[in-house]
Amino acid sequence: MSLSLKKRPYDHIYRDLESARSYAMRLLDGALLQFSYEGISEQVVRHRLAYLPSPRLESFQNNPDLYIRELHFVEIVGHQVVPVPIRLDYDNRDGVAVDVVHPAAHLTMGQYQHCRVPVSRPASPSEFTEFIIQSFYSTPAMDPVSLRQHVSGLPRTITDAESEKIYIAMPGTTSS
């Protein structure tokens, strides 16, 4: 996903990632999900979780009835939709996090190099996937999707100064 920070159009970055099969999942609409974790022993040291929506919906253009019959797809394939990549990063290595400027856990939207919304703790792949499905692939008429098992033991990484700003509070954040 480091390609996403290069000064290239999003559709070129997406196409390169797709052709290199640099993703864990490809969703029905062509969106890609990436999961990358690094750890020492049983401790997660850093992760990168990414949602890369398809910049084009060729299958919708070729066969729109498949999507229009399913109400929840109407919202994600409409002409008003702008594909915005989302990344949830965590890096607990010494010297990487800088209070408020570069939180240890943060959400990045779009290709903005310095967009870092603090997050209270790292996330699991199932939590991130559930977040994406609930945020972009659900409607009020649908039953909520739950992929998450109880997640415990993930340390709180947000600082006091970061928690004074707008931030994302992950469920099950411990106080350590």
Side-chain angles (χ1 to χ4, degrees):
M1 181 64 179
S2 61
L3 287 173
S4 68
L5 296 179
K6 293 186 179 178
K7 296 178 181 178
R8 298 177 56 221
Y10 176 67
D11 61 328
H12 294 176
I13 293 164
Y14 173 91
R15 187 177 55 237
D16 290 348
L17 293 170
E18 184 182 38
S19 12
R21 294 185 177 260
S22 183
Y23 56 88
M25 268 187 255
R26 186 170 190 276
L27 304 180
L28 179 63
D29 65 342
L32 307 177
L33 292 180
Q34 293 181 317
F35 308 109
S36 173
Y37 282 82
E38 183 180 316
I40 298 174
S41 296
E42 294 183 18
Q43 293 289 345
V44 173
V45 175
R46 64 182 175 164
H47 73 50
R48 184 184 67 239
L49 309 172
Y51 167 69
L52 302 131
S54 175
R56 63 198 180 288
L57 293 165
E58 291 172 9
S59 57
F60 172 71
Q61 293 162 358
N62 295 335
N63 197 353
D65 289 341
L66 287 176
Y67 288 92
I68 292 172
R69 275 183 264 157
E70 296 293 332
L71 292 179
H72 60 281
F73 280 119
V74 172
E75 290 181 15
I76 64 169
V77 297
H79 298 289
Q80 78 284 1
V81 174
V82 176
V84 176
I86 294 176
R87 209 175 62 227
L88 186 57
D89 292 323
Y90 166 68
D91 198 331
N92 200 29
R93 296 174 298 161
D94 287 339
V96 175
V98 177
D99 196 18
V100 179
V101 176
H102 193 251
H106 60 271
L107 180 78
T108 301
M109 296 171 283
Q111 292 177 263
Y112 296 96
Q113 186 175 358
H114 300 291
C115 172
R116 295 184 185 103
V117 179
V119 177
S120 62
R121 67 161 172 82
S124 71
S126 59
E127 287 176 304
F128 182 72
T129 303
E130 182 179 294
F131 166 71
I132 295 301
I133 290 171
Q134 288 178 347
S135 299
F136 301 103
Y137 297 92
S138 297
T139 65
M142 295 174 59
D143 290 331
V145 173
S146 178
L147 304 174
R148 194 168 8 110
Q149 298 291 323
H150 176 69
V151 177
S152 63
L154 295 171
R156 178 181 169 88
T157 58
I158 193 163
T159 66
D160 290 341
E162 291 163 355
S163 68
E164 292 296 318
K165 310 279 184 197
I166 292 176
Y167 72 96
I168 297 173
M170 294 290 293
T173 301
T174 61
S175 58
S176 57

Short mmCIF file of all heavy atoms in Angstrom, two decimals, residues 79-141:
data_model
loop_
_atom_site.label_atom_id
_atom_site.label_comp_id
_atom_site.label_asym_id
_atom_site.label_seq_id
_atom_site.Cartn_x
_atom_site.Cartn_y
_atom_site.Cartn_z
N HIS A 79 -23.44 7.10 -9.27
CA HIS A 79 -22.52 8.06 -9.88
C HIS A 79 -22.01 9.09 -8.88
O HIS A 79 -21.00 9.73 -9.12
CB HIS A 79 -23.20 8.74 -11.07
CG HIS A 79 -23.56 7.77 -12.15
ND1 HIS A 79 -22.62 7.17 -12.95
CD2 HIS A 79 -24.76 7.27 -12.53
CE1 HIS A 79 -23.22 6.34 -13.80
NE2 HIS A 79 -24.52 6.38 -13.56
N GLN A 80 -22.70 9.26 -7.75
CA GLN A 80 -22.28 10.22 -6.74
C GLN A 80 -21.13 9.70 -5.89
O GLN A 80 -20.51 10.44 -5.14
CB GLN A 80 -23.46 10.60 -5.84
CG GLN A 80 -23.83 9.57 -4.78
CD GLN A 80 -24.59 8.35 -5.29
OE1 GLN A 80 -24.86 8.21 -6.47
NE2 GLN A 80 -24.94 7.45 -4.39
N VAL A 81 -20.82 8.41 -5.98
CA VAL A 81 -19.80 7.80 -5.13
C VAL A 81 -18.40 8.13 -5.65
O VAL A 81 -18.11 8.00 -6.83
CB VAL A 81 -20.00 6.26 -5.07
CG1 VAL A 81 -18.86 5.60 -4.32
CG2 VAL A 81 -21.33 5.95 -4.42
N VAL A 82 -17.54 8.56 -4.74
CA VAL A 82 -16.15 8.84 -5.05
C VAL A 82 -15.32 7.77 -4.31
O VAL A 82 -15.43 7.65 -3.10
CB VAL A 82 -15.73 10.24 -4.55
CG1 VAL A 82 -14.25 10.49 -4.79
CG2 VAL A 82 -16.58 11.31 -5.21
N PRO A 83 -14.54 6.98 -5.04
CA PRO A 83 -13.75 5.94 -4.36
C PRO A 83 -12.65 6.57 -3.50
O PRO A 83 -11.82 7.33 -3.99
CB PRO A 83 -13.17 5.11 -5.49
CG PRO A 83 -13.21 5.98 -6.69
CD PRO A 83 -14.32 6.97 -6.48
N VAL A 84 -12.67 6.28 -2.20
CA VAL A 84 -11.68 6.82 -1.28
C VAL A 84 -11.01 5.65 -0.54
O VAL A 84 -11.67 4.95 0.22
CB VAL A 84 -12.34 7.77 -0.25
CG1 VAL A 84 -11.33 8.27 0.77
CG2 VAL A 84 -13.01 8.94 -0.96
N PRO A 85 -9.73 5.46 -0.77
CA PRO A 85 -9.03 4.40 -0.03
C PRO A 85 -8.95 4.76 1.46
O PRO A 85 -8.83 5.93 1.82
CB PRO A 85 -7.65 4.34 -0.66
CG PRO A 85 -7.51 5.55 -1.50
CD PRO A 85 -8.85 6.14 -1.71
N ILE A 86 -9.03 3.73 2.29
CA ILE A 86 -8.96 3.90 3.75
C ILE A 86 -7.91 2.93 4.26
O ILE A 86 -7.88 1.77 3.87
CB ILE A 86 -10.32 3.61 4.40
CG1 ILE A 86 -11.33 4.67 3.96
CG2 ILE A 86 -10.21 3.56 5.92
CD1 ILE A 86 -12.71 4.44 4.47
N ARG A 87 -7.08 3.44 5.16
CA ARG A 87 -6.03 2.59 5.74
C ARG A 87 -6.03 2.77 7.25
O ARG A 87 -6.14 3.89 7.75
CB ARG A 87 -4.68 3.01 5.16
CG ARG A 87 -3.69 1.91 5.09
CD ARG A 87 -2.41 2.32 4.41
NE ARG A 87 -1.77 3.38 5.15
CZ ARG A 87 -1.28 4.49 4.60
NH1 ARG A 87 -1.37 4.70 3.31
NH2 ARG A 87 -0.68 5.39 5.34
N LEU A 88 -5.91 1.66 7.96
CA LEU A 88 -5.78 1.69 9.41
C LEU A 88 -4.39 1.17 9.73
O LEU A 88 -4.08 0.01 9.47
CB LEU A 88 -6.86 0.81 10.05
CG LEU A 88 -6.97 0.83 11.56
CD1 LEU A 88 -7.22 2.24 12.09
CD2 LEU A 88 -8.10 -0.08 12.01
N ASP A 89 -3.54 2.07 10.22
CA ASP A 89 -2.14 1.73 10.49
C ASP A 89 -1.88 1.69 11.99
O ASP A 89 -2.48 2.44 12.76
CB ASP A 89 -1.20 2.78 9.88
CG ASP A 89 -1.20 2.76 8.37
OD1 ASP A 89 -1.30 1.66 7.79
OD2 ASP A 89 -1.10 3.84 7.76
N TYR A 90 -0.92 0.85 12.34
CA TYR A 90 -0.45 0.77 13.72
C TYR A 90 1.05 0.50 13.64
O TYR A 90 1.49 -0.36 12.87
CB TYR A 90 -1.16 -0.36 14.47
CG TYR A 90 -0.51 -0.72 15.77
CD1 TYR A 90 -0.53 0.15 16.85
CD2 TYR A 90 0.12 -1.95 15.94
CE1 TYR A 90 0.06 -0.19 18.06
CE2 TYR A 90 0.71 -2.30 17.14
CZ TYR A 90 0.68 -1.41 18.19
OH TYR A 90 1.27 -1.75 19.38
N ASP A 91 1.82 1.26 14.39
CA ASP A 91 3.26 1.03 14.43
C ASP A 91 3.77 1.41 15.81
O ASP A 91 3.75 2.58 16.19
CB ASP A 91 3.98 1.85 13.35
CG ASP A 91 5.38 1.33 13.07
OD1 ASP A 91 6.01 0.75 13.99
OD2 ASP A 91 5.85 1.51 11.94
N ASN A 92 4.19 0.41 16.57
CA ASN A 92 4.61 0.61 17.94
C ASN A 92 6.13 0.53 18.09
O ASN A 92 6.63 0.40 19.20
CB ASN A 92 3.92 -0.43 18.85
CG ASN A 92 3.93 0.00 20.29
OD1 ASN A 92 3.94 1.18 20.61
ND2 ASN A 92 3.94 -0.97 21.19
N ARG A 93 6.86 0.60 16.99
CA ARG A 93 8.32 0.56 17.07
C ARG A 93 8.85 1.87 17.66
O ARG A 93 8.25 2.93 17.47
CB ARG A 93 8.94 0.32 15.70
CG ARG A 93 8.59 -1.04 15.11
CD ARG A 93 9.09 -1.19 13.70
NE ARG A 93 8.45 -0.17 12.87
CZ ARG A 93 8.90 0.22 11.70
NH1 ARG A 93 9.99 -0.31 11.18
NH2 ARG A 93 8.27 1.16 11.00
N ASP A 94 9.96 1.78 18.35
CA ASP A 94 10.57 2.96 18.96
C ASP A 94 10.84 4.03 17.91
O ASP A 94 11.36 3.73 16.83
CB ASP A 94 11.89 2.60 19.66
CG ASP A 94 11.68 1.82 20.95
OD1 ASP A 94 10.56 1.91 21.50
OD2 ASP A 94 12.62 1.14 21.39
N GLY A 95 10.48 5.27 18.23
CA GLY A 95 10.79 6.40 17.38
C GLY A 95 9.84 6.64 16.23
O GLY A 95 10.02 7.58 15.47
N VAL A 96 8.82 5.80 16.05
CA VAL A 96 7.90 5.97 14.92
C VAL A 96 6.74 6.91 15.29
O VAL A 96 6.47 7.88 14.60
CB VAL A 96 7.36 4.62 14.41
CG1 VAL A 96 6.30 4.83 13.34
CG2 VAL A 96 8.49 3.75 13.90
N ALA A 97 6.07 6.62 16.39
CA ALA A 97 4.93 7.45 16.82
C ALA A 97 5.43 8.78 17.38
O ALA A 97 6.44 8.82 18.08
CB ALA A 97 4.11 6.71 17.86
N VAL A 98 4.70 9.84 17.01
CA VAL A 98 4.97 11.18 17.54
C VAL A 98 3.62 11.70 18.02
O VAL A 98 2.67 11.80 17.23
CB VAL A 98 5.57 12.10 16.45
CG1 VAL A 98 5.76 13.51 17.00
CG2 VAL A 98 6.86 11.54 15.90
N ASP A 99 3.55 12.04 19.30
CA ASP A 99 2.30 12.46 19.92
C ASP A 99 1.56 13.48 19.04
O ASP A 99 2.14 14.47 18.60
CB ASP A 99 2.58 13.06 21.29
CG ASP A 99 1.34 13.18 22.16
OD1 ASP A 99 0.34 12.50 21.86
OD2 ASP A 99 1.38 13.94 23.14
N VAL A 100 0.31 13.23 18.76
CA VAL A 100 -0.62 14.03 17.97
C VAL A 100 -0.25 14.07 16.48
O VAL A 100 -1.11 13.93 15.63
CB VAL A 100 -0.77 15.48 18.52
CG1 VAL A 100 -1.72 16.30 17.66
CG2 VAL A 100 -1.24 15.46 19.97
N VAL A 101 1.02 14.22 16.13
CA VAL A 101 1.46 14.34 14.74
C VAL A 101 1.38 13.01 14.00
O VAL A 101 0.96 12.95 12.84
CB VAL A 101 2.90 14.90 14.68
CG1 VAL A 101 3.43 14.94 13.26
CG2 VAL A 101 2.97 16.26 15.33
N HIS A 102 1.80 11.93 14.64
CA HIS A 102 1.82 10.60 14.02
C HIS A 102 1.46 9.56 15.09
O HIS A 102 2.34 8.90 15.65
CB HIS A 102 3.20 10.31 13.41
CG HIS A 102 3.22 9.13 12.51
ND1 HIS A 102 3.84 7.95 12.86
CD2 HIS A 102 2.69 8.93 11.29
CE1 HIS A 102 3.72 7.08 11.87
NE2 HIS A 102 3.01 7.65 10.91
N PRO A 103 0.14 9.43 15.39
CA PRO A 103 -0.28 8.49 16.43
C PRO A 103 0.15 7.05 16.12
O PRO A 103 0.23 6.66 14.95
CB PRO A 103 -1.81 8.60 16.41
CG PRO A 103 -2.09 9.93 15.78
CD PRO A 103 -0.98 10.15 14.80
N ALA A 104 0.41 6.27 17.16
CA ALA A 104 0.82 4.88 16.98
C ALA A 104 -0.24 4.11 16.17
O ALA A 104 0.10 3.33 15.28
CB ALA A 104 1.04 4.21 18.33
N ALA A 105 -1.51 4.33 16.45
CA ALA A 105 -2.61 3.74 15.68
C ALA A 105 -3.39 4.90 15.06
O ALA A 105 -3.76 5.84 15.78
CB ALA A 105 -3.51 2.89 16.56
N HIS A 106 -3.61 4.85 13.75
CA HIS A 106 -4.32 5.95 13.10
C HIS A 106 -5.01 5.49 11.82
O HIS A 106 -4.64 4.48 11.23
CB HIS A 106 -3.39 7.13 12.81
CG HIS A 106 -2.25 6.80 11.90
ND1 HIS A 106 -1.05 6.34 12.37
CD2 HIS A 106 -2.13 6.85 10.56
CE1 HIS A 106 -0.22 6.12 11.35
NE2 HIS A 106 -0.87 6.42 10.24
N LEU A 107 -6.02 6.26 11.43
CA LEU A 107 -6.79 6.02 10.22
C LEU A 107 -6.40 7.08 9.20
O LEU A 107 -6.33 8.27 9.52
CB LEU A 107 -8.29 6.13 10.51
CG LEU A 107 -9.23 5.92 9.33
CD1 LEU A 107 -9.36 4.43 9.03
CD2 LEU A 107 -10.60 6.50 9.63
N THR A 108 -6.13 6.64 7.97
CA THR A 108 -5.81 7.53 6.87
C THR A 108 -6.89 7.38 5.82
O THR A 108 -7.27 6.26 5.48
CB THR A 108 -4.43 7.18 6.27
OG1 THR A 108 -3.45 7.30 7.29
CG2 THR A 108 -4.07 8.07 5.12
N MET A 109 -7.37 8.50 5.29
CA MET A 109 -8.39 8.48 4.24
C MET A 109 -7.84 9.16 3.00
O MET A 109 -7.18 10.20 3.09
CB MET A 109 -9.65 9.19 4.72
CG MET A 109 -10.30 8.49 5.90
SD MET A 109 -11.63 9.46 6.64
CE MET A 109 -10.70 10.64 7.58
N GLY A 110 -8.11 8.59 1.85
CA GLY A 110 -7.64 9.16 0.61
C GLY A 110 -6.14 8.99 0.47
O GLY A 110 -5.52 8.16 1.11
N GLN A 111 -5.56 9.79 -0.36
CA GLN A 111 -4.13 9.73 -0.59
C GLN A 111 -3.42 10.91 0.07
O GLN A 111 -2.37 11.34 -0.38
CB GLN A 111 -3.85 9.70 -2.10
CG GLN A 111 -4.30 8.41 -2.75
CD GLN A 111 -4.10 8.43 -4.24
OE1 GLN A 111 -5.01 8.71 -4.99
NE2 GLN A 111 -2.88 8.16 -4.67
N TYR A 112 -4.00 11.41 1.14
CA TYR A 112 -3.41 12.53 1.85
C TYR A 112 -2.29 12.02 2.74
O TYR A 112 -2.52 11.24 3.67
CB TYR A 112 -4.47 13.27 2.67
CG TYR A 112 -5.53 13.89 1.82
CD1 TYR A 112 -6.74 13.22 1.59
CD2 TYR A 112 -5.33 15.11 1.21
CE1 TYR A 112 -7.72 13.78 0.78
CE2 TYR A 112 -6.30 15.68 0.39
CZ TYR A 112 -7.48 15.00 0.19
OH TYR A 112 -8.45 15.55 -0.61
N GLN A 113 -1.08 12.48 2.48
CA GLN A 113 0.10 11.97 3.17
C GLN A 113 0.05 12.20 4.68
O GLN A 113 0.54 11.40 5.46
CB GLN A 113 1.35 12.62 2.58
CG GLN A 113 2.64 12.05 3.14
CD GLN A 113 3.86 12.63 2.44
OE1 GLN A 113 3.73 13.42 1.52
NE2 GLN A 113 5.02 12.23 2.88
N HIS A 114 -0.54 13.31 5.13
CA HIS A 114 -0.51 13.64 6.55
C HIS A 114 -1.88 13.51 7.22
O HIS A 114 -2.09 14.06 8.30
CB HIS A 114 0.05 15.05 6.75
CG HIS A 114 1.45 15.17 6.22
ND1 HIS A 114 2.53 14.55 6.81
CD2 HIS A 114 1.94 15.81 5.13
CE1 HIS A 114 3.62 14.80 6.12
NE2 HIS A 114 3.28 15.57 5.09
N CYS A 115 -2.81 12.79 6.60
CA CYS A 115 -4.12 12.54 7.20
C CYS A 115 -3.96 11.36 8.16
O CYS A 115 -3.80 10.22 7.74
CB CYS A 115 -5.15 12.21 6.13
SG CYS A 115 -6.73 11.67 6.81
N ARG A 116 -3.98 11.67 9.46
CA ARG A 116 -3.85 10.62 10.47
C ARG A 116 -4.84 10.90 11.60
O ARG A 116 -4.57 11.71 12.47
CB ARG A 116 -2.42 10.58 11.01
CG ARG A 116 -1.40 10.18 9.98
CD ARG A 116 -0.01 10.06 10.60
NE ARG A 116 0.95 9.79 9.55
CZ ARG A 116 1.78 10.71 9.05
NH1 ARG A 116 1.76 11.94 9.51
NH2 ARG A 116 2.64 10.38 8.11
N VAL A 117 -5.97 10.23 11.56
CA VAL A 117 -6.96 10.36 12.62
C VAL A 117 -6.59 9.35 13.70
O VAL A 117 -6.51 8.14 13.42
CB VAL A 117 -8.39 10.07 12.09
CG1 VAL A 117 -9.41 10.17 13.21
CG2 VAL A 117 -8.73 11.01 10.94
N PRO A 118 -6.33 9.79 14.94
CA PRO A 118 -5.93 8.84 15.98
C PRO A 118 -6.98 7.76 16.21
O PRO A 118 -8.19 8.00 16.11
CB PRO A 118 -5.79 9.72 17.23
CG PRO A 118 -5.66 11.12 16.73
CD PRO A 118 -6.41 11.17 15.43
N VAL A 119 -6.50 6.56 16.49
CA VAL A 119 -7.34 5.41 16.83
C VAL A 119 -6.86 4.90 18.18
O VAL A 119 -5.66 4.91 18.46
CB VAL A 119 -7.24 4.30 15.75
CG1 VAL A 119 -8.06 3.09 16.12
CG2 VAL A 119 -7.68 4.85 14.40
N SER A 120 -7.78 4.47 19.03
CA SER A 120 -7.42 4.14 20.41
C SER A 120 -6.53 2.91 20.57
O SER A 120 -5.83 2.78 21.56
CB SER A 120 -8.68 3.98 21.26
OG SER A 120 -9.48 2.91 20.78
N ARG A 121 -6.54 2.01 19.59
CA ARG A 121 -5.72 0.79 19.69
C ARG A 121 -5.63 0.13 18.32
O ARG A 121 -6.38 0.47 17.40
CB ARG A 121 -6.28 -0.18 20.72
CG ARG A 121 -7.62 -0.77 20.30
CD ARG A 121 -7.92 -2.05 21.09
NE ARG A 121 -9.25 -2.53 20.86
CZ ARG A 121 -9.63 -3.27 19.80
NH1 ARG A 121 -8.78 -3.57 18.85
NH2 ARG A 121 -10.88 -3.69 19.69
N PRO A 122 -4.72 -0.84 18.16
CA PRO A 122 -4.67 -1.60 16.90
C PRO A 122 -5.95 -2.41 16.69
O PRO A 122 -6.76 -2.55 17.61
CB PRO A 122 -3.47 -2.53 17.08
CG PRO A 122 -2.99 -2.38 18.47
CD PRO A 122 -3.73 -1.26 19.13
N ALA A 123 -6.12 -2.94 15.48
CA ALA A 123 -7.34 -3.69 15.14
C ALA A 123 -6.99 -5.06 14.58
O ALA A 123 -5.91 -5.27 14.04
CB ALA A 123 -8.15 -2.90 14.11
N SER A 124 -7.95 -5.95 14.69
CA SER A 124 -7.80 -7.29 14.09
C SER A 124 -8.35 -7.24 12.66
O SER A 124 -9.12 -6.34 12.32
CB SER A 124 -8.58 -8.32 14.91
OG SER A 124 -9.98 -8.13 14.73
N PRO A 125 -7.98 -8.20 11.82
CA PRO A 125 -8.53 -8.24 10.46
C PRO A 125 -10.06 -8.32 10.45
O PRO A 125 -10.71 -7.66 9.64
CB PRO A 125 -7.92 -9.49 9.84
CG PRO A 125 -6.71 -9.77 10.65
CD PRO A 125 -7.01 -9.27 12.03
N SER A 126 -10.64 -9.09 11.37
CA SER A 126 -12.10 -9.21 11.37
C SER A 126 -12.77 -7.91 11.81
O SER A 126 -13.81 -7.55 11.28
CB SER A 126 -12.55 -10.38 12.25
OG SER A 126 -12.11 -10.24 13.57
N GLU A 127 -12.17 -7.18 12.76
CA GLU A 127 -12.74 -5.89 13.15
C GLU A 127 -12.71 -4.92 11.98
O GLU A 127 -13.68 -4.20 11.74
CB GLU A 127 -11.94 -5.28 14.31
CG GLU A 127 -12.17 -5.95 15.63
CD GLU A 127 -11.28 -5.37 16.70
OE1 GLU A 127 -10.05 -5.35 16.54
OE2 GLU A 127 -11.85 -4.91 17.72
N PHE A 128 -11.60 -4.88 11.26
CA PHE A 128 -11.48 -3.96 10.12
C PHE A 128 -12.47 -4.34 9.02
O PHE A 128 -13.17 -3.48 8.48
CB PHE A 128 -10.04 -3.98 9.58
CG PHE A 128 -9.83 -3.02 8.44
CD1 PHE A 128 -9.78 -1.66 8.67
CD2 PHE A 128 -9.69 -3.49 7.15
CE1 PHE A 128 -9.59 -0.76 7.62
CE2 PHE A 128 -9.48 -2.60 6.09
CZ PHE A 128 -9.44 -1.24 6.33
N THR A 129 -12.58 -5.63 8.71
CA THR A 129 -13.51 -6.08 7.68
C THR A 129 -14.94 -5.76 8.07
O THR A 129 -15.73 -5.27 7.25
CB THR A 129 -13.34 -7.60 7.42
OG1 THR A 129 -11.98 -7.85 7.07
CG2 THR A 129 -14.26 -8.08 6.32
N GLU A 130 -15.29 -5.98 9.33
CA GLU A 130 -16.63 -5.65 9.80
C GLU A 130 -16.89 -4.15 9.67
O GLU A 130 -17.97 -3.72 9.25
CB GLU A 130 -16.80 -6.09 11.26
CG GLU A 130 -18.19 -5.84 11.81
CD GLU A 130 -18.32 -6.31 13.24
OE1 GLU A 130 -18.25 -7.53 13.48
OE2 GLU A 130 -18.48 -5.43 14.11
N PHE A 131 -15.91 -3.33 10.02
CA PHE A 131 -16.02 -1.87 9.88
C PHE A 131 -16.30 -1.49 8.43
O PHE A 131 -17.19 -0.68 8.15
CB PHE A 131 -14.73 -1.21 10.39
CG PHE A 131 -14.59 0.23 10.00
CD1 PHE A 131 -15.40 1.21 10.57
CD2 PHE A 131 -13.63 0.62 9.08
CE1 PHE A 131 -15.25 2.56 10.21
CE2 PHE A 131 -13.49 1.95 8.71
CZ PHE A 131 -14.30 2.92 9.28
N ILE A 132 -15.58 -2.08 7.49
CA ILE A 132 -15.76 -1.77 6.07
C ILE A 132 -17.15 -2.20 5.61
O ILE A 132 -17.88 -1.44 4.96
CB ILE A 132 -14.66 -2.42 5.21
CG1 ILE A 132 -13.30 -1.81 5.55
CG2 ILE A 132 -14.97 -2.30 3.72
CD1 ILE A 132 -13.17 -0.32 5.36
N ILE A 133 -17.56 -3.41 5.95
CA ILE A 133 -18.88 -3.91 5.54
C ILE A 133 -20.00 -3.05 6.12
O ILE A 133 -20.92 -2.64 5.41
CB ILE A 133 -19.06 -5.39 5.94
CG1 ILE A 133 -18.14 -6.27 5.08
CG2 ILE A 133 -20.52 -5.83 5.78
CD1 ILE A 133 -18.07 -7.71 5.53
N GLN A 134 -19.90 -2.73 7.41
CA GLN A 134 -20.95 -1.92 8.04
C GLN A 134 -20.97 -0.49 7.50
O GLN A 134 -22.02 0.12 7.40
CB GLN A 134 -20.78 -1.91 9.55
CG GLN A 134 -21.15 -3.23 10.18
CD GLN A 134 -20.94 -3.24 11.69
OE1 GLN A 134 -20.31 -2.36 12.26
NE2 GLN A 134 -21.47 -4.27 12.33
N SER A 135 -19.80 0.04 7.16
CA SER A 135 -19.73 1.42 6.72
C SER A 135 -20.08 1.62 5.25
O SER A 135 -20.64 2.64 4.88
CB SER A 135 -18.32 1.98 6.96
OG SER A 135 -18.00 1.94 8.32
N PHE A 136 -19.76 0.64 4.40
CA PHE A 136 -19.91 0.83 2.96
C PHE A 136 -20.83 -0.17 2.26
O PHE A 136 -21.20 0.06 1.12
CB PHE A 136 -18.53 0.79 2.27
CG PHE A 136 -17.60 1.84 2.80
CD1 PHE A 136 -16.60 1.50 3.68
CD2 PHE A 136 -17.76 3.17 2.44
CE1 PHE A 136 -15.74 2.47 4.18
CE2 PHE A 136 -16.91 4.14 2.94
CZ PHE A 136 -15.89 3.79 3.82
N TYR A 137 -21.18 -1.25 2.92
CA TYR A 137 -21.95 -2.30 2.25
C TYR A 137 -23.21 -2.68 3.03
O TYR A 137 -23.70 -3.78 2.89
CB TYR A 137 -21.08 -3.54 2.04
CG TYR A 137 -19.91 -3.27 1.12
CD1 TYR A 137 -18.68 -2.88 1.64
CD2 TYR A 137 -20.04 -3.38 -0.25
CE1 TYR A 137 -17.60 -2.62 0.81
CE2 TYR A 137 -18.97 -3.13 -1.09
CZ TYR A 137 -17.76 -2.73 -0.56
OH TYR A 137 -16.70 -2.47 -1.39
N SER A 138 -23.72 -1.79 3.83
CA SER A 138 -24.91 -2.08 4.62
C SER A 138 -25.96 -0.99 4.43
O SER A 138 -25.63 0.14 4.10
CB SER A 138 -24.55 -2.15 6.12
OG SER A 138 -23.65 -3.19 6.35
N THR A 139 -27.18 -1.38 4.65
CA THR A 139 -28.28 -0.41 4.67
C THR A 139 -29.05 -0.63 5.97
O THR A 139 -28.94 -1.70 6.58
CB THR A 139 -29.24 -0.62 3.47
OG1 THR A 139 -29.86 -1.90 3.60
CG2 THR A 139 -28.51 -0.51 2.15
N PRO A 140 -29.86 0.34 6.37
CA PRO A 140 -30.64 0.17 7.61
C PRO A 140 -31.56 -1.05 7.57
O PRO A 140 -31.87 -1.62 8.61
CB PRO A 140 -31.45 1.47 7.70
CG PRO A 140 -30.65 2.46 6.92
CD PRO A 140 -30.00 1.69 5.82
N ALA A 141 -31.97 -1.48 6.39
CA ALA A 141 -32.89 -2.61 6.29
C ALA A 141 -32.20 -3.96 6.48
O ALA A 141 -32.84 -4.98 6.68
CB ALA A 141 -33.59 -2.59 4.94
#
